[in-house]
Amino acid sequence: RATNGSYCRTLEKKVFEQKLVAESGNSFLKIKKKIVSEIGLNLLFLWHFLTDKRYTTMNIHEYQGKEILASYGVRIQRGIVANNPVEAVAAAKQLTAETGTGWHVIKAQVHAGGRGKGGGVKLAKNLQQVEEIAEQIIGMQLITPQTSAEGKKVHKVLIAEDVYYPGESETSEFYMSVLLNRATGRNMIMYSTEGGMDIEEVAEHTPHLIFTEEIDPAVGLQGFQARRIAFNLGLSGNAFKEMVKFVDSLYNAYIGCDASMFEINPVLKTSDNKIMAVDAKVNIDDNALYRQAKIADMRDIREENPIEVEAKEVGLNYVDLDGTVGCMVNGAGLAMATMDLIKYAGFEPANFLDVGGTADAKRVETAFRIILKDPNVEAILINIFGGIVRCDRVAQGVVDAYKNMGDAIKVPIIVRLQGTNAEIAKELIDNSGMPILSAVQFQEAADQVKAALTK
Ligand code: GDP
Ligand code: MN
């Protein structure tokens, strides 16, 4: 089981790298930018991601992240979630009653950062504006530097108190995240005086303004470390004390919920010298969800790729990509090779799908159905190595699935089976009367993909 878990993560990482390389033309800088823009991971995490295995993570919304933070005693910008403009106005009234705030911020709740830049975070100065802005944001396709070109549909908003009110001192914005440094095997707190903006940009232009504090797992976060952070952020007086407490509670929250990342950008020093989390981007290590029932319940599958969600439910490893050739393979290494093969033939993989060791007819059919949900698929390449599973069984599965699905399959299918009983398998397919092309050699399969798609 353990081996399988780490295998899955290696596989996911490989697929992801492949996808990035495919889209970024191999330039490391472009790849970095791509990762950052796609999933908003920060630079260090990214580095470890590229050089080591990665976690599989579950994302949650800002309002959920803030609920967790508050339960650990971290001061947060308070807010109430709303599903429609009527609820938004009620939430704003309630917040005014509870906090005394006159102004409200309406914040789109989607699993992507950079919402402010995309028009997903707006200030309302009265209830009428709350209603208007909520009306405008709920239901919109929010496009940010971290979403795809079509953006993400907003289903709910967080109505939050305005915390940038004027007062005795200037407000300041900091950056802070807690994450695992895989190189040292320790958790670390990464922070910067340059909050509110993209940390990736800070890392690129002013890397000396990013600080880190590593935590010894034997003793945990020490008081002097929290004080050093507050000091490096240039704080004094009450703000200093608040920051020390903030860091301590934030770290407890990170540990307590088995997170792989907590990113608070910005951490705000208010004009009356309070320190609070204005934003919360939280990734949970999903290997720990079995003991984090409350957090597991926070999953919002509307934010995930629907085909990937379905594949996960039936136990298939599926990753959606942008090309036109659907792939069905067994094994991560073979998957990589198959993607290379497709690219070598001049095309792009539409997905990555690992059927695993038990490719019987039922599974192959499920895999077919999943691949075919992607409207971009113009051909399917099945590349299976018969090691534990025999090729003739796989071939029978393919033929049976094809027969069962009949008209549903409108694209050419190329099957390459290699390993135990490969020849019998090829015969089985050739004699099935189905329009399935079979190949034994890698090159043959590539040629057939090419022939099928250039017709
Ligand atoms: P992100 O753009 O997805 O990272 O969303 P954030 O939660 O970080 O909000 C974006 C920006 O909105 C912040 O950097 C702040 O500058 C601004 N903002 C957030 N809360 C308030 C608020 O209470 N008042 C005002 N005036 N601006 C806010
Ligand atoms: Mn932010």
Side-chain angles (χ1 to χ4, degrees):
R1 286 245 154 248
T3 318
N4 203 31
S6 86
Y7 153 77
C8 287
R9 285 191 294 282
T10 309
L11 172 147
E12 284 197 12
K13 177 196 159 211
K14 280 191 175 170
V15 173
F16 196 67
E17 283 171 9
Q18 178 93 14
K19 179 179 177 185
L20 291 163
V21 172
E23 288 170 2
S24 318
N26 242 329
S27 144
F28 185 67
L29 194 69
K30 276 198 195 154
I31 294 172
K32 268 190 337 199
K33 284 207 173 125
K34 186 90 196 167
I35 294 191
V36 165
S37 71
E38 280 211 349
I39 45 178
L41 296 185
N42 66 43
L43 209 63
L44 256 135
F45 186 62
L46 155 80
W47 175 255
H48 298 301
F49 177 85
L50 281 175
T51 52
D52 200 347
K53 288 173 194 159
R54 78 174 178 106
Y55 295 98
T56 51
T57 62
M58 185 185 87
N59 293 336
I60 56 177
H61 287 293
E62 173 198 358
Y63 78 91
Q64 296 165 325
K66 281 177 164 173
E67 269 168 28
I68 295 174
L69 288 172
S71 74
Y72 281 88
V74 179
R75 189 193 293 281
I76 55 162
Q77 172 195 41
R78 283 170 293 178
I80 298 169
V81 77
N83 296 292
N84 54 54
V86 176
E87 284 181 21
V89 171
K93 283 181 184 159
Q94 192 184 328
L95 267 181
T96 302
E98 285 173 12
T99 70
T101 189
W103 292 1
H104 299 87
V105 202
I106 289 85
K107 310 180 83 177
Q109 297 299 290
V110 291
H111 288 184
R115 294 163 303 166
K117 280 183 189 156
V121 178
K122 287 196 169 148
L123 183 68
K125 299 186 177 174
N126 55 50
L127 290 177
Q128 196 195 329
Q129 285 180 4
V130 169
E131 189 173 2
E132 282 166 12
I133 296 169
E135 179 82 55
Q136 187 193 329
I137 293 182
I138 297 171
M140 84 186 280
Q141 284 291 125
L142 179 61
I143 302 166
T144 84
Q146 294 183 13
T147 65
S148 66
E150 71 253 37
K152 289 203 129 177
K153 191 175 173 94
V154 182
H155 297 284
K156 44 192 163 191
V157 288
L158 180 65
I159 309 299
E161 58 175 335
D162 168 39
V163 285
Y164 287 62
Y165 46 81
E168 64 198 66
S169 67
E170 290 286 308
T171 58
S172 7
E173 293 180 319
F174 308 116
Y175 170 90
M176 189 171 297
S177 60
V178 189
L179 66 158
L180 177 67
N181 180 351
R182 285 182 163 269
T184 58
R186 291 177 174 203
N187 290 317
M188 62 193 279
I189 297 173
M190 197 161 134
Y191 62 103
S192 175
T193 48
E194 309 304 291
M197 58 173 97
D198 284 350
I199 195 65
E200 295 76 27
E201 263 170 48
V202 182
E204 204 167 317
H205 302 297
T206 49
H208 60 283
L209 296 177
I210 297 182
F211 304 93
T212 57
E213 195 68 52
E214 290 234 344
I215 291 108
D216 183 333
V219 294
L221 177 71
Q222 297 293 290
F224 77 89
Q225 295 183 295
R227 290 193 294 275
R228 180 153 63 199
I229 291 172
F231 179 80
N232 282 340
L233 289 174
L235 299 171
S236 59
N238 190 56
F240 185 100
K241 274 188 223 151
E242 284 242 346
M243 182 58 85
V244 170
K245 181 168 179 289
F246 183 93
V247 171
D248 195 51
S249 313
L250 173 63
Y251 189 71
N252 287 339
Y254 170 88
I255 295 292
C257 57
D258 291 310
S260 51
M261 183 175 73
F262 256 81
E263 187 182 56
I264 316 296
N265 189 21
V267 173
L268 181 73
K269 183 195 77 69
T270 62
S271 60
D272 50 354
N273 297 311
K274 290 182 189 129
I275 301 293
M276 66 169 67
V278 167
D279 195 3
K281 186 175 178 68
V282 176
N283 291 166
I284 305 294
D285 177 355
D286 65 8
N287 291 309
L289 288 178
Y290 74 94
R291 62 178 191 190
Q292 295 287 353
K294 258 194 208 157
I295 297 174
D297 283 346
M298 291 181 174
R299 183 169 174 208
D300 183 352
I301 58 168
R302 286 185 298 192
E303 296 292 319
E304 299 174 20
N305 177 310
I307 310 179
E308 289 181 8
V309 169
E310 198 183 327
K312 207 179 218 170
E313 273 163 16
V314 296
L316 293 168
N317 273 309
Y318 173 91
V319 180
D320 194 45
L321 303 170
D322 298 331
T324 55
V325 183
C327 304
M328 196 194 299
V329 291
N330 63 344
L334 186 59
M336 293 303 104
T338 305
M339 289 166 147
D340 284 346
L341 182 77
I342 290 167
K343 289 181 77 71
Y344 188 66
F347 301 96
E348 297 286 335
N351 69 274
F352 169 101
L353 194 157
D354 183 2
V355 289
T358 52
D360 57 7
K362 189 96 198 64
R363 224 169 145 71
V364 171
E365 186 174 332
T366 313
F368 263 136
R369 289 194 191 277
I370 286 184
I371 291 178
L372 287 167
K373 291 207 167 158
D374 178 356
N376 297 326
V377 168
E378 290 170 16
I380 298 177
L381 173 59
I382 302 177
N383 195 0
I384 301 237
F385 176 73
I388 297 171
V389 61
R390 287 170 8 219
C391 290
D392 53 323
R393 275 196 56 192
V394 176
Q396 193 61 54
V398 172
V399 171
D400 291 350
Y402 198 95
K403 277 185 183 150
N404 274 339
M405 294 184 66
D407 325 335
I409 306 179
K410 299 232 161 38
V411 297
I413 295 167
I414 297 102
V415 181
R416 185 236 176 203
L417 295 163
Q418 188 57 278
T420 313
N421 292 353
E423 298 299 331
I424 305 174
K426 182 167 161 53
E427 242 168 69
L428 227 154
I429 285 175
D430 291 347
N431 298 334
S432 68
M434 307 282 146
I436 305 173
L437 305 167
S438 70
V440 177
Q441 298 304 322
F442 233 62
Q443 186 60 48
E444 270 178 82
D447 292 345
Q448 284 174 354
V449 167
K450 198 165 187 168
L453 285 176
T454 40
K455 251 177 220 157

